[in-house]
Amino acid sequence: MSEVKVNKISPRSGTDVTLGDSGDTFTVPSGATLDIASGATLTNSGTASGFASIAWQSSIVTAATLTAEAGKGYWINTTSNACTITLPASASVGDQIIFSDYLRTWGTNAVTINPNSLNFQGYTTPQPVYNTNGQSVDIVYSGATQGWIPTVDDDVSFETAQTYSADFLVIAGGGGGGRGFYGGGAGAGGFRTSTQTLNGGIVFTITVGDGGAGSTSETSKGSNGTDSSISGSGLTTITSAGGGGGGSRNNGSAQGAANGASGGSGGGAAYQNSDGGSGDTPATTPSQGNDGGTNTTLYGASGGGAGAAGTAGTSVGGNNGAVGAIGSQSSITGSATYYAGGGGGGSSDTTRAGGLGGGGAGGNNGAGGNGTANTGGGGGGGGVVGSDGGAGGKGVVILSVPDADYSGTTTGSPTVATGVSGKTVLTFTGSGSYTS
């Protein structure tokens, strides 16, 4: 085998040098070093194998802090304490760092990553926290816009999830009206509002309650409406209670069903010395509804159901039913709208209107009117003997989030309106979900 010993190989002409011919193999002996000087470029136009892109560190990290370097892999042992890892202050596209849970203890003592002023998944805050046993975090720098991006992190959550403020309106289903002889108007569904901070990447579950059925028997009150709610991780659950059913009676003697039922707003009474149902049941702060009207006059008409967070039900004598209690207004959709009106009481001379906010009218010698769908209005009470109560209106849940933060991820087919004073408004008339 021939051997050539020289200190330098330079091209005879031009700037290119070719080593050998196609199919030749050049070997760097064991123990030798191939040193590529700073500023030089090693270009691969073929297939490279056997090159390690990550230099795994032999020392196990047990300290509470670590300053990481690109191109390295670290075993992180948090058996005794949590660890905060500070990433490089500058990075180039393609830089890669890997962290691995050495003893599967990150669930007890978490690893926090400080992006060190560079973006991580597009943001500098909040600092990502990895707290699942056995995790591996493999991050690659993508450039200034998104910064470090995990290519593997064994996690389904968005580690730099952003927060924003959202407004909620949650209205339960209204109660069903009582059956005549002069049935009680039903209570409206509970009316609750809330403003809370949402974390990005969280699924929120929306439940919209149905209205209660009107009574078809003088010995049974109208049915209560069902609850509406919104809930999710990190969110204070908001639940509004279904409206109370209206009381029922026959033409002759008091019935046990004559008292209105309690609920988000109470149902109205249907007989002499009978009581309206209690509102704000269960109690909330602020109150979600008011009491139903009582009845003190023989053969007098019932009180109307209470409008949620509006006015209480009332009672009048003679053959005149009570007008349904007024509900409450909300401008969450961009215009002031009444919701959760109480049902009117049954009568025999004049139809008594339901309360503003979708309350059903009281029956005039006939059945009570239904509460308006998706307002939570209570059903109207039936008029004379044999007149059924009206059904309660279904509830509604409305969310308002900044246009810039709206994710577009929903189920349940809510109505979506954008640009409402810079907000996107989602109106759920049926159950579904929203992912922030």
Side-chain angles (χ1 to χ4, degrees), residues 283-308:
T284 61
T285 303
S287 172
Q288 63 179 309
N290 294 282
D291 297 342
T294 60
N295 197 330
T296 59
T297 304
L298 183 63
Y299 298 117
S302 70

PDB file of all heavy atoms in Angstrom, residues 283-308:
ATOM      1  N   ALA A 283     -79.136  29.217  46.792  1.00  0.00           N
ATOM      2  CA  ALA A 283     -78.741  30.611  46.869  1.00  0.00           C
ATOM      3  C   ALA A 283     -77.426  30.863  46.140  1.00  0.00           C
ATOM      4  O   ALA A 283     -76.500  30.059  46.195  1.00  0.00           O
ATOM      5  CB  ALA A 283     -78.616  31.036  48.331  1.00  0.00           C
ATOM      6  N   THR A 284     -77.351  31.987  45.435  1.00  0.00           N
ATOM      7  CA  THR A 284     -76.133  32.403  44.741  1.00  0.00           C
ATOM      8  C   THR A 284     -75.841  33.863  45.087  1.00  0.00           C
ATOM      9  O   THR A 284     -76.699  34.574  45.603  1.00  0.00           O
ATOM     10  CB  THR A 284     -76.285  32.275  43.219  1.00  0.00           C
ATOM     11  OG1 THR A 284     -77.354  33.124  42.773  1.00  0.00           O
ATOM     12  CG2 THR A 284     -76.572  30.845  42.821  1.00  0.00           C
ATOM     13  N   THR A 285     -74.644  34.293  44.805  1.00  0.00           N
ATOM     14  CA  THR A 285     -74.263  35.697  44.990  1.00  0.00           C
ATOM     15  C   THR A 285     -73.713  36.226  43.674  1.00  0.00           C
ATOM     16  O   THR A 285     -72.696  35.726  43.185  1.00  0.00           O
ATOM     17  CB  THR A 285     -73.190  35.843  46.088  1.00  0.00           C
ATOM     18  OG1 THR A 285     -73.697  35.269  47.307  1.00  0.00           O
ATOM     19  CG2 THR A 285     -72.863  37.301  46.324  1.00  0.00           C
ATOM     20  N   PRO A 286     -74.383  37.247  43.073  1.00  0.00           N
ATOM     21  CA  PRO A 286     -75.666  37.810  43.491  1.00  0.00           C
ATOM     22  C   PRO A 286     -76.812  36.844  43.214  1.00  0.00           C
ATOM     23  O   PRO A 286     -76.624  35.817  42.561  1.00  0.00           O
ATOM     24  CB  PRO A 286     -75.783  39.076  42.643  1.00  0.00           C
ATOM     25  CG  PRO A 286     -75.000  38.763  41.405  1.00  0.00           C
ATOM     26  CD  PRO A 286     -73.847  37.918  41.860  1.00  0.00           C
ATOM     27  N   SER A 287     -77.999  37.205  43.711  1.00  0.00           N
ATOM     28  CA  SER A 287     -79.165  36.336  43.581  1.00  0.00           C
ATOM     29  C   SER A 287     -79.476  36.039  42.123  1.00  0.00           C
ATOM     30  O   SER A 287     -79.409  36.909  41.260  1.00  0.00           O
ATOM     31  CB  SER A 287     -80.371  37.011  44.241  1.00  0.00           C
ATOM     32  OG  SER A 287     -81.556  36.291  43.967  1.00  0.00           O
ATOM     33  N   GLN A 288     -79.860  34.788  41.849  1.00  0.00           N
ATOM     34  CA  GLN A 288     -80.206  34.410  40.479  1.00  0.00           C
ATOM     35  C   GLN A 288     -81.686  34.562  40.181  1.00  0.00           C
ATOM     36  O   GLN A 288     -82.099  34.411  39.021  1.00  0.00           O
ATOM     37  CB  GLN A 288     -79.779  32.965  40.215  1.00  0.00           C
ATOM     38  CG  GLN A 288     -80.477  31.926  41.090  1.00  0.00           C
ATOM     39  CD  GLN A 288     -80.035  30.517  40.753  1.00  0.00           C
ATOM     40  OE1 GLN A 288     -80.054  30.111  39.585  1.00  0.00           O
ATOM     41  NE2 GLN A 288     -79.614  29.764  41.743  1.00  0.00           N
ATOM     42  N   GLY A 289     -82.509  34.864  41.187  1.00  0.00           N
ATOM     43  CA  GLY A 289     -83.931  34.997  40.930  1.00  0.00           C
ATOM     44  C   GLY A 289     -84.707  35.377  42.166  1.00  0.00           C
ATOM     45  O   GLY A 289     -84.157  35.492  43.263  1.00  0.00           O
ATOM     46  N   ASN A 290     -86.007  35.585  41.986  1.00  0.00           N
ATOM     47  CA  ASN A 290     -86.893  36.061  43.057  1.00  0.00           C
ATOM     48  C   ASN A 290     -88.027  35.095  43.332  1.00  0.00           C
ATOM     49  O   ASN A 290     -88.221  34.117  42.605  1.00  0.00           O
ATOM     50  CB  ASN A 290     -87.450  37.433  42.677  1.00  0.00           C
ATOM     51  CG  ASN A 290     -86.378  38.493  42.627  1.00  0.00           C
ATOM     52  OD1 ASN A 290     -85.941  39.003  43.640  1.00  0.00           O
ATOM     53  ND2 ASN A 290     -85.946  38.824  41.406  1.00  0.00           N
ATOM     54  N   ASP A 291     -88.794  35.404  44.379  1.00  0.00           N
ATOM     55  CA  ASP A 291     -89.897  34.533  44.796  1.00  0.00           C
ATOM     56  C   ASP A 291     -91.098  34.662  43.876  1.00  0.00           C
ATOM     57  O   ASP A 291     -91.313  35.710  43.236  1.00  0.00           O
ATOM     58  CB  ASP A 291     -90.340  34.889  46.216  1.00  0.00           C
ATOM     59  CG  ASP A 291     -89.259  34.660  47.252  1.00  0.00           C
ATOM     60  OD1 ASP A 291     -88.302  33.912  46.949  1.00  0.00           O
ATOM     61  OD2 ASP A 291     -89.367  35.232  48.358  1.00  0.00           O
ATOM     62  N   GLY A 292     -91.887  33.595  43.823  1.00  0.00           N
ATOM     63  CA  GLY A 292     -93.154  33.648  43.122  1.00  0.00           C
ATOM     64  C   GLY A 292     -94.206  34.359  43.954  1.00  0.00           C
ATOM     65  O   GLY A 292     -94.063  34.522  45.173  1.00  0.00           O
ATOM     66  N   GLY A 293     -95.274  34.801  43.297  1.00  0.00           N
ATOM     67  CA  GLY A 293     -96.337  35.517  44.001  1.00  0.00           C
ATOM     68  C   GLY A 293     -97.202  34.591  44.831  1.00  0.00           C
ATOM     69  O   GLY A 293     -97.423  33.433  44.494  1.00  0.00           O
ATOM     70  N   THR A 294     -97.734  35.134  45.947  1.00  0.00           N
ATOM     71  CA  THR A 294     -98.657  34.380  46.802  1.00  0.00           C
ATOM     72  C   THR A 294    -100.094  34.720  46.422  1.00  0.00           C
ATOM     73  O   THR A 294    -100.353  35.604  45.614  1.00  0.00           O
ATOM     74  CB  THR A 294     -98.423  34.735  48.278  1.00  0.00           C
ATOM     75  OG1 THR A 294     -98.637  36.135  48.450  1.00  0.00           O
ATOM     76  CG2 THR A 294     -97.006  34.391  48.689  1.00  0.00           C
ATOM     77  N   ASN A 295    -101.049  33.999  47.018  1.00  0.00           N
ATOM     78  CA  ASN A 295    -102.461  34.237  46.731  1.00  0.00           C
ATOM     79  C   ASN A 295    -103.231  34.235  48.048  1.00  0.00           C
ATOM     80  O   ASN A 295    -103.167  33.272  48.812  1.00  0.00           O
ATOM     81  CB  ASN A 295    -102.993  33.138  45.809  1.00  0.00           C
ATOM     82  CG  ASN A 295    -104.296  33.533  45.154  1.00  0.00           C
ATOM     83  OD1 ASN A 295    -105.070  34.288  45.716  1.00  0.00           O
ATOM     84  ND2 ASN A 295    -104.535  32.996  43.972  1.00  0.00           N
ATOM     85  N   THR A 296    -103.949  35.314  48.305  1.00  0.00           N
ATOM     86  CA  THR A 296    -104.686  35.434  49.581  1.00  0.00           C
ATOM     87  C   THR A 296    -106.179  35.528  49.392  1.00  0.00           C
ATOM     88  O   THR A 296    -106.927  35.508  50.364  1.00  0.00           O
ATOM     89  CB  THR A 296    -104.212  36.687  50.333  1.00  0.00           C
ATOM     90  OG1 THR A 296    -104.440  37.846  49.513  1.00  0.00           O
ATOM     91  CG2 THR A 296    -102.726  36.588  50.661  1.00  0.00           C
ATOM     92  N   THR A 297    -106.687  35.614  48.182  1.00  0.00           N
ATOM     93  CA  THR A 297    -108.109  35.839  47.926  1.00  0.00           C
ATOM     94  C   THR A 297    -108.770  34.580  47.389  1.00  0.00           C
ATOM     95  O   THR A 297    -108.255  33.946  46.479  1.00  0.00           O
ATOM     96  CB  THR A 297    -108.288  36.984  46.914  1.00  0.00           C
ATOM     97  OG1 THR A 297    -107.629  38.136  47.400  1.00  0.00           O
ATOM     98  CG2 THR A 297    -109.765  37.295  46.710  1.00  0.00           C
ATOM     99  N   LEU A 298    -109.935  34.229  47.945  1.00  0.00           N
ATOM    100  CA  LEU A 298    -110.655  33.055  47.473  1.00  0.00           C
ATOM    101  C   LEU A 298    -110.953  33.201  45.990  1.00  0.00           C
ATOM    102  O   LEU A 298    -111.478  34.224  45.558  1.00  0.00           O
ATOM    103  CB  LEU A 298    -111.961  32.888  48.246  1.00  0.00           C
ATOM    104  CG  LEU A 298    -112.798  31.653  47.913  1.00  0.00           C
ATOM    105  CD1 LEU A 298    -112.036  30.378  48.250  1.00  0.00           C
ATOM    106  CD2 LEU A 298    -114.136  31.692  48.645  1.00  0.00           C
ATOM    107  N   TYR A 299    -110.624  32.191  45.234  1.00  0.00           N
ATOM    108  CA  TYR A 299    -110.791  32.187  43.793  1.00  0.00           C
ATOM    109  C   TYR A 299    -110.005  33.313  43.122  1.00  0.00           C
ATOM    110  O   TYR A 299    -110.220  33.619  41.981  1.00  0.00           O
ATOM    111  CB  TYR A 299    -112.272  32.266  43.377  1.00  0.00           C
ATOM    112  CG  TYR A 299    -113.067  31.080  43.859  1.00  0.00           C
ATOM    113  CD1 TYR A 299    -114.114  31.248  44.755  1.00  0.00           C
ATOM    114  CD2 TYR A 299    -112.748  29.800  43.421  1.00  0.00           C
ATOM    115  CE1 TYR A 299    -114.848  30.166  45.201  1.00  0.00           C
ATOM    116  CE2 TYR A 299    -113.477  28.710  43.868  1.00  0.00           C
ATOM    117  CZ  TYR A 299    -114.527  28.900  44.763  1.00  0.00           C
ATOM    118  OH  TYR A 299    -115.225  27.828  45.207  1.00  0.00           O
ATOM    119  N   GLY A 300    -109.121  33.924  43.867  1.00  0.00           N
ATOM    120  CA  GLY A 300    -108.272  34.928  43.250  1.00  0.00           C
ATOM    121  C   GLY A 300    -107.231  34.248  42.370  1.00  0.00           C
ATOM    122  O   GLY A 300    -106.874  33.092  42.575  1.00  0.00           O
ATOM    123  N   ALA A 301    -106.718  34.971  41.401  1.00  0.00           N
ATOM    124  CA  ALA A 301    -105.746  34.396  40.477  1.00  0.00           C
ATOM    125  C   ALA A 301    -104.374  34.303  41.130  1.00  0.00           C
ATOM    126  O   ALA A 301    -104.079  34.966  42.113  1.00  0.00           O
ATOM    127  CB  ALA A 301    -105.667  35.238  39.210  1.00  0.00           C
ATOM    128  N   SER A 302    -103.536  33.497  40.514  1.00  0.00           N
ATOM    129  CA  SER A 302    -102.212  33.259  41.087  1.00  0.00           C
ATOM    130  C   SER A 302    -101.286  34.431  40.854  1.00  0.00           C
ATOM    131  O   SER A 302    -101.511  35.279  40.004  1.00  0.00           O
ATOM    132  CB  SER A 302    -101.597  32.028  40.435  1.00  0.00           C
ATOM    133  OG  SER A 302    -101.269  32.323  39.092  1.00  0.00           O
ATOM    134  N   GLY A 303    -100.194  34.414  41.608  1.00  0.00           N
ATOM    135  CA  GLY A 303     -99.127  35.363  41.332  1.00  0.00           C
ATOM    136  C   GLY A 303     -98.292  34.884  40.153  1.00  0.00           C
ATOM    137  O   GLY A 303     -98.182  33.693  39.894  1.00  0.00           O
ATOM    138  N   GLY A 304     -97.718  35.821  39.443  1.00  0.00           N
ATOM    139  CA  GLY A 304     -96.847  35.449  38.334  1.00  0.00           C
ATOM    140  C   GLY A 304     -95.521  34.922  38.841  1.00  0.00           C
ATOM    141  O   GLY A 304     -95.107  35.223  39.960  1.00  0.00           O
ATOM    142  N   GLY A 305     -94.849  34.147  38.053  1.00  0.00           N
ATOM    143  CA  GLY A 305     -93.536  33.652  38.443  1.00  0.00           C
ATOM    144  C   GLY A 305     -92.530  34.786  38.532  1.00  0.00           C
ATOM    145  O   GLY A 305     -92.669  35.808  37.859  1.00  0.00           O
ATOM    146  N   ALA A 306     -91.508  34.616  39.345  1.00  0.00           N
ATOM    147  CA  ALA A 306     -90.525  35.672  39.541  1.00  0.00           C
ATOM    148  C   ALA A 306     -89.576  35.756  38.357  1.00  0.00           C
ATOM    149  O   ALA A 306     -89.082  34.757  37.867  1.00  0.00           O
ATOM    150  CB  ALA A 306     -89.728  35.405  40.811  1.00  0.00           C
ATOM    151  N   GLY A 307     -89.318  36.955  37.920  1.00  0.00           N
ATOM    152  CA  GLY A 307     -88.307  37.148  36.888  1.00  0.00           C
ATOM    153  C   GLY A 307     -86.933  37.003  37.508  1.00  0.00           C
ATOM    154  O   GLY A 307     -86.655  37.575  38.556  1.00  0.00           O
ATOM    155  N   ALA A 308     -86.057  36.246  36.900  1.00  0.00           N
ATOM    156  CA  ALA A 308     -84.739  35.996  37.476  1.00  0.00           C
ATOM    157  C   ALA A 308     -83.969  37.289  37.621  1.00  0.00           C
ATOM    158  O   ALA A 308     -83.773  38.015  36.659  1.00  0.00           O
ATOM    159  CB  ALA A 308     -83.961  35.022  36.615  1.00  0.00           C
TER     160      ALA A 308
END
